[in-house]
Amino acid sequence: MQKLMVATGLFFASAVACAGDGAQWDYSGAKGPGHWGELSPKFTACSEGRNQSPINLSNFIESELKPIGIHYQAGGNEILNNGHSVQVNYAPGSKISVDGHEFTLKQYHFHSPSENHINGKSFPMEAHLVHADGEGNLAVIAVMFEEGEANKVLAKAWAKMPEKSGDSHGLPSSVAAEDILPSSRDYYRYNGSLTTPPCSEGVEWLVMKEPVSASKAQIEKFVHVMHHPNNRPVQVVGARPVLQ
Ligand SMILES: [Zn+2]
């Protein structure tokens, strides 16, 4: 169990912790997003925070963002269903650099429909590639999916789809994170939060401008396994700039 918790990282560990102190959360009803801040003293950022995610990205500020340095290795070796998403855990060694600051890829997971919107547009699915630095600061690369041709990364991952909450499977041929990214690496950048409790702030959001494609069947397979939408509604942008 200890090994599993370490391997599966932040999101699964927090789900386990929540189950322990009675503060389970959900995407609808009495434990839905509008109530997350009331469910545990640890979740107050969900209601009190002023830099929350997701958002509708618009009113972009031109700022000549430097390219993200992407140094990924093939390394997605486990897929799990934590009840809130389906997540691929990543072996150590894959890094990005943002303004010379290095983050290591921990895992990627999916939301349907998308959590962030771009110019008011929602997408049928969004991937979050979650990275952490040595101090636990997070940087998330978000990739939007639109319906079209089948996606080869999802084809590999979904072949081992963990159907029930708590299920996990090994991935025999590792699923490379780089293959999720669009060919253009242009991105928007804003400061936000985790989109799930405890909604911690200080997360660097790097949202790819160009969507990638997934087939209708691939999107529906994810929705079917989740049984419900797993997107937090968009949050108030406030004074935050969205850079491009
Ligand atoms: Zn996410």
Side-chain angles (χ1 to χ4, degrees):
M1 187 60 193
Q2 192 59 37
K3 181 166 174 285
L4 181 68
M5 282 184 64
V6 170
T8 55
L10 179 72
F11 284 79
F12 189 60
S14 72
V16 170
C18 295
D21 68 8
Q24 293 105 335
W25 53 272
D26 212 335
Y27 281 103
S28 62
K31 292 177 178 177
H35 301 284
W36 287 351
E38 306 152 16
L39 298 176
S40 163
K42 294 173 192 155
F43 296 175
T44 48
C46 300
S47 52
E48 305 293 320
R50 292 293 172 266
N51 296 299
Q52 291 287 293
S53 294
I55 61 167
N56 174 35
L57 288 84
S58 63
N59 301 318
F60 306 109
I61 310 275
E62 293 292 341
S63 55
E64 298 185 9
L65 294 172
K66 293 196 190 77
I68 304 168
I70 295 172
H71 313 286
Y72 287 159
Q73 301 167 358
N77 47 18
E78 182 193 32
I79 186 166
L80 77 110
N81 179 335
N82 61 21
H84 300 301
S85 187
V86 169
Q87 176 172 315
V88 173
N89 289 316
Y90 224 73
S94 289
K95 297 181 189 304
I96 59 170
S97 91
V98 182
D99 285 345
H101 194 97
E102 206 165 73
F103 298 86
T104 299
L105 178 62
K106 300 294 185 183
Q107 46 99 342
Y108 56 84
H109 63 267
F110 301 87
H111 298 269
S112 179
S114 72
E115 296 207 294
N116 291 293
H117 296 187
I118 298 176
N119 280 324
K121 182 175 159 58
S122 163
F123 292 79
M125 195 161 71
E126 178 176 348
H128 290 159
L129 291 79
V130 180
H131 310 72
D133 70 7
E135 284 87 55
N137 299 304
L138 299 179
V140 179
I141 293 182
V143 181
M144 301 298 170
F145 288 78
E146 59 188 4
E147 199 180 299
E149 281 180 30
N151 184 288
K152 63 180 182 179
V153 175
L154 296 184
K156 279 189 193 174
W158 280 191
K160 292 287 176 183
M161 179 67 91
E163 302 274 346
K164 293 196 297 292
S165 178
D167 282 358
S168 66
H169 298 141
L171 289 169
S173 56
S174 71
V175 179
E178 189 132 17
D179 293 341
I180 296 179
L181 301 178
S183 50
S184 163
R185 303 291 162 83
D186 288 349
Y187 64 102
Y188 306 111
R189 179 171 176 176
Y190 78 95
N191 287 315
S193 72
L194 298 180
T195 65
T196 55
C199 308
S200 315
E201 297 189 334
V203 178
E204 192 75 67
W205 279 88
L206 309 160
V207 178
M208 291 287 140
K209 290 185 179 182
E210 183 183 295
V212 299
S213 82
S215 69
K216 188 166 191 276
Q218 287 177 322
I219 295 165
E220 282 175 353
K221 182 160 187 175
F222 177 73
V223 171
H224 174 74
V225 165
M226 286 286 100
H227 303 297
H228 54 73
N230 69 335
N231 66 307
R232 185 189 196 193
V234 291
Q235 305 291 303
V236 174
V237 178
R240 285 178 284 174
V242 182
L243 309 179
Q244 72 169 348

